[in-house]
Amino acid sequence: MQAGSIHDSTVYMVQPDDPPSRRYEVGLRYLNNGVPRRALELIDEAIAKGHDGPEVRFHWALAMLSGRSYRDLTTVEHGRLSELRQDVCSFRADDWTQGSEAICDLLSCLEGREGDASLAFKRLNALPSAQRDKIIRHLDLVLTGGMKASLWAESCQAAREGRLDGDRRGRVWAYFHPEPAGARARRPVGAPLTWTGFVGSTPSSAVLVLAVGSIIVTALFSRSVAAIVSLPLFGAAVYFGAVQGLQWYRRVRWIRLKDSEHLQQRFRPYAPGKGFANQVDHAFTHYFATYRPHLWSSEQWLATTAGIRSTLRDEVVEIYRESGTASESVRWLIRFMARDVRARWVSGTLLEHRERYKVAHRTRLSFAAACAGAAVTGLVLLGTAVVAAPVLVTLASITAVVAGALCVPTALNHCFWHWAHHEDRRLRERTLAEREAEYRRWKGKLDALRPSEEQMEEWLRCDRTLILDRALKHYRLGWHDILAHCFLQTPHQPCKQARTMGGPWRYSRYVVTVFLVTKDGVREVSVELDFENAEFGNEERRNFRFDAVSSVHVEQTSGYGYVLSLTLMNGAPRSITIIEPATEESMVEEDQEKISRLNLDSSGFTPTLRILEGIAADGKNWIERDQRPSGTGYLRSEEMLD
């Protein structure tokens, strides 16, 4: 399983000083996105702080009932729901008020109090689609038997039509795609010429200047006209030759440096292990093989680009490795690099440095002429000085040669890296601008394609509906045969996982398990769901009697993971991973226990545990108990998490 991607968003963020309307808004988002218990908490807080109305009360009732069967309600919750009709009567009548009254009618039928089921459904069907669809969705586990049967065909048809709406297959991948790392580029090579570098070459340079100066002074004191005329010409030739020679030297050395980055014979071996560097190695190989020129084979292109791939690979590892960035977050940059190399190869600009920094013929000729002039005038000065003071000039000449051999290479090296630093900085600015443009394009594409939390939950709900329909058809059961049912959705490894900040984890692959409770026992159907591609996979079916359930146990593992163990009388214990333990990469500055509870809520854990606990404790008597709960059943499930 890849490290979890966490999308930075404020859709679930509530600050202590936020107004109650903000709490209601976030609570409504939690409700629509499959986390009703957290939604109920926030809507309750909003009501307590004065944010009330028919719409608020309607969604409060949905949050109370969503994802729970009628048996799960405590006595206190029954009491609060029984007051709903009276509460909404104090508000102005509108569509939301009618929706709340329809919920009250349905609950009255379930409780066996006054109420006509046909009239309740007539009122439900007369509601506007906004209220009606929400009631059908969130009261899924509450409505059973004949109530459910009258709506089931319509629900299945809506699920078939809705599970691929909004280009699901073309967008879900963006939800699980990691947030791309920002654009970066390596630091420029070399460094500006510093005082330290200058001082390092000063001793030998000073000796050279003194030696040459003594020769010139000796020649001038001889009062030779030739020496006096040659001196300014010698100085001009040396200066002009130094300028042209330095330019020649820098360009030739720069071309060699760039050639070494592009023309390496083979790609470096993959980094050991499965860390960041190794994953970057494989990504470079994959994308360069994918983005290759037309009619080129992968092997040919990989061999041709071995040098530039190694250079770019080393750059990516260098600039991102120490920041804790996941390799998936820099794949956009590697793809961009692969496409850029191909484009430059096709356009003939991959080795543009050779043409751009080629030494011009004028520079070569100027340097040769300056050297010739310096040699002629220098020999005139040297000859004049030797005649005047042969011993002194001979020693000065030897000293000048030795000092020059020491200081000139050092000076050239310092000058080259000073020039290379500023030249590479300009190249870096251009490269960084191109990468930032690509980063904005790619991030904009991800943001545009990434589905909302509500879309993800709606697609998942459609999948669950069709899986339930398959189970009913396989066992040839009607809703009048179903006493209770529940879903349990767990991650199916290997899979990708992602969530919005403050929200529950969502997975690219699930195992969706449906428990159907009938008077004869429990039917269990597990289906592998490829959520990213909207495809159903392998299916497993199990049946067991009420007296076959020996025990149900929930274990909290390290990292806030949860495992449900179900033991049957005639079989080994089954372990079902409800929540994967949090990895170090997926833990951010959030309350991990809170996130764990959100995941439990969205997975369907509580109603499933409630049913299995009841069967394990009471067997078939669980069916025959009074429909109204004692007020402790739901709390027992919650207490197991404390």
Side-chain angles (χ1 to χ4, degrees):
M1 182 181 68
Q2 75 164 30
S5 303
I6 303 177
H7 305 306
D8 189 11
S9 175
T10 60
V11 297
Y12 292 128
M13 296 295 103
V14 179
Q15 303 300 329
D17 56 347
D18 282 342
S21 58
R22 172 63 181 174
R23 294 181 180 276
Y24 169 71
E25 177 188 343
V26 175
L28 185 56
R29 286 175 181 164
Y30 272 119
L31 176 63
N32 292 335
N33 300 339
V35 193
R37 302 290 78 75
R38 178 58 178 159
L40 182 60
E41 293 175 8
L42 291 171
I43 296 176
D44 263 335
E45 291 176 9
I47 294 174
K49 293 185 177 183
H51 185 73
D52 204 353
E55 180 182 351
V56 176
R57 291 289 176 165
F58 174 80
H59 288 112
W60 171 86
L62 293 184
M64 177 73 76
L65 297 167
S66 182
R68 301 169 70 181
S69 68
Y70 188 70
R71 294 172 178 266
D72 292 337
L73 298 175
T74 66
T75 303
V76 173
E77 290 166 339
H78 270 279
R80 296 185 66 185
L81 285 169
S82 65
E83 298 171 358
L84 177 62
R85 191 187 299 272
Q86 181 179 352
D87 292 337
V88 298
C89 287
S90 61
F91 302 118
R92 179 177 56 85
D94 60 8
D95 293 343
W96 301 109
T97 303
Q98 294 176 19
S100 298
E101 292 174 347
I103 294 174
C104 293
D105 290 342
L106 293 172
L107 294 178
S108 296
C109 295
L110 289 171
E111 292 174 349
R113 295 188 281 113
E114 294 183 2
D116 185 344
S118 61
L119 184 60
F121 272 94
K122 184 177 180 181
R123 173 171 284 186
L124 176 63
N125 289 324
L127 290 174
S129 60
Q131 289 76 24
R132 181 177 180 273
D133 293 345
K134 286 189 174 186
I135 292 175
I136 294 174
R137 170 186 171 183
H138 291 288
L139 271 64
D140 177 63
L141 300 184
V142 174
L143 302 178
T144 56
M147 292 183 176
K148 190 81 171 181
S150 62
L151 301 169
W152 187 240
E154 180 183 347
S155 297
C156 290
Q157 182 60 31
R160 293 188 189 95
E161 295 174 355
R163 69 187 302 258
L164 296 179
D165 272 357
D167 190 22
R168 173 180 176 176
R169 290 191 174 116
R171 296 177 60 201
V172 170
W173 67 268
Y175 186 90
F176 296 105
H177 194 286
E179 289 291 335
R184 300 181 189 177
R186 61 171 173 77
R187 295 180 178 179
V189 298
L193 191 59
T194 62
W195 177 254
T196 303
F198 175 76
V199 170
S201 59
T202 296
S204 55
S205 300
V207 172
L208 175 64
V209 171
L210 289 175
V212 173
S214 64
I215 295 174
I216 293 174
V217 169
T218 302
L220 291 177
F221 273 104
S222 67
R223 297 182 180 181
S224 169
V225 175
I228 295 173
V229 173
S230 298
L231 180 60
L233 296 177
F234 175 76
V238 169
Y239 173 78
F240 190 68
V243 171
Q244 299 299 316
L246 182 60
Q247 183 179 0
W248 188 347
Y249 172 80
R250 288 185 309 200
R251 286 176 173 265
V252 169
R253 188 170 174 182
W254 183 256
I255 290 174
R256 290 175 181 172
L257 178 64
K258 290 301 177 182
D259 279 351
S260 68
E261 296 177 356
H262 287 71
L263 302 179
Q264 195 171 321
Q265 293 301 311
R266 67 185 186 87
F267 187 64
R268 65 184 308 280
Y270 288 150
K274 298 294 182 180
F276 178 78
N278 180 271
Q279 294 172 14
V280 169
D281 288 343
H282 286 281
F284 266 98
T285 301
H286 170 73
Y287 287 119
F288 269 78
T290 301
Y291 297 103
R292 60 185 186 273
H294 185 56
L295 300 179
W296 281 63
S297 68
S298 299
E299 293 76 12
Q300 289 175 320
W301 183 240
L302 291 175
T304 302
T305 59
I308 188 62
R309 277 192 298 126
S310 286
T311 300
L312 295 174
R313 175 265 180 205
D314 291 343
E315 179 183 358
V316 171
V317 171
E318 174 189 346
I319 61 181
Y320 287 103
R321 188 174 199 169
E322 298 304 322
S323 63
T325 304
S327 63
E328 291 83 0
S329 297
V330 298
R331 284 180 175 268
W332 70 269
L333 178 58
I334 299 174
R335 282 196 303 272
F336 173 70
M337 288 176 169
R339 295 198 309 269
D340 181 60
V341 169
R342 179 186 63 180
R344 288 193 288 148
W345 176 271
V346 172
S347 64
T349 59
L350 184 61
L351 301 177
E352 65 174 349
H353 62 276
R354 291 182 171 179
E355 185 64 29
R356 182 177 180 182
Y357 295 99
K358 183 175 68 174
V359 181
H361 291 296
R362 183 178 60 184
T363 301
R364 298 172 187 265
L365 292 175
S366 298
F367 177 73
C371 288
V376 171
T377 54
L379 288 174
V380 171
L381 290 172
L382 182 62
T384 304
V386 167
V387 172
V391 176
L392 176 63
V393 171
T394 300
L395 292 175
S397 300
I398 296 173
T399 302
V401 171
V402 174
L406 294 175
C407 74
V408 170
T410 302
L412 286 175
N413 189 60
H414 282 307
C415 289
F416 169 75
W417 288 117
H418 174 78
W419 173 85
H421 176 79
H422 292 284
E423 190 69 20
D424 205 38
R425 187 172 63 182
R426 288 192 290 270
L427 294 176
R428 178 187 182 276
E429 290 172 354
R430 185 184 70 181
T431 299
L432 186 58
E434 293 173 350
R435 292 177 183 178
E436 286 177 342
E438 173 64 13
Y439 169 76
R440 291 191 297 269
R441 184 199 71 82
W442 179 245
K443 193 174 188 307
K445 179 178 180 179
L446 287 178
D447 292 341
L449 288 177
R450 185 179 295 120
S452 66
E453 288 288 290
E454 190 168 351
Q455 286 176 311
M456 295 287 286
E457 180 61 25
E458 177 62 18
W459 288 329
L460 186 56
R461 186 187 68 83
C462 291
D463 291 336
R464 289 197 305 261
T465 299
L466 296 183
I467 290 172
L468 177 55
D469 187 55
R470 289 173 58 172
L472 292 172
K473 289 179 178 178
H474 174 79
Y475 288 115
R476 298 181 181 179
L477 295 172
W479 277 107
H480 61 278
D481 300 314
I482 305 300
L483 302 176
H485 74 287
C486 61
F487 291 97
L488 185 63
Q489 55 196 40
T490 57
H492 180 45
Q493 302 297 352
C495 67
K496 294 177 282 187
Q497 63 177 25
R499 67 179 178 89
T500 297
M501 188 76 73
W505 285 110
R506 300 189 184 277
Y507 303 95
S508 61
R509 301 173 70 213
Y510 287 94
V511 173
V512 179
T513 303
V514 182
F515 293 93
L516 302 174
V517 182
T518 69
K519 63 180 180 178
D520 298 321
V522 180
R523 308 288 190 268
E524 177 189 345
V525 179
S526 296
V527 178
E528 295 178 3
L529 169 62
D530 184 345
F531 183 77
E532 190 170 358
N533 297 308
E535 296 176 353
F536 297 125
N538 296 332
E539 182 175 320
E540 293 184 7
R541 293 181 289 272
R542 301 180 183 88
N543 307 316
F544 50 88
R545 304 184 312 277
F546 291 107
D547 58 359
V549 180
S550 173
S551 67
V552 177
H553 175 65
V554 179
E555 178 184 358
Q556 181 177 346
T557 62
S558 60
Y560 295 96
Y562 284 90
V563 176
L564 174 66
S565 295
L566 176 64
T567 304
L568 302 180
M569 293 292 187
N570 58 348
R574 287 174 50 207
S575 294
I576 303 173
T577 300
I578 309 298
I579 304 176
E580 293 287 346
T583 61
E584 184 178 349
E585 295 86 351
S586 67
M587 296 182 72
V588 296
E589 293 182 1
E590 290 184 87
D591 185 341
Q592 293 301 314
E593 183 176 358
K594 174 184 172 182
I595 298 300
S596 180
R597 288 180 178 275
L598 294 179
N599 292 324
L600 289 173
D601 192 8
S602 65
S603 70
F605 167 79
T606 299
T608 301
L609 179 61
R610 175 72 174 84
I611 289 176
L612 295 178
E613 277 185 324
I615 294 174
D618 301 326
K620 194 168 186 178
N621 293 332
W622 178 80
I623 302 176
E624 300 167 357
R625 290 185 312 176
D626 185 4
Q627 291 293 317
R628 180 169 297 185
S630 63
T632 60
Y634 181 70
L635 293 178
R636 280 194 296 117
S637 301
E638 287 291 302
E639 287 166 359
M640 294 188 67
L641 308 181
D642 293 334

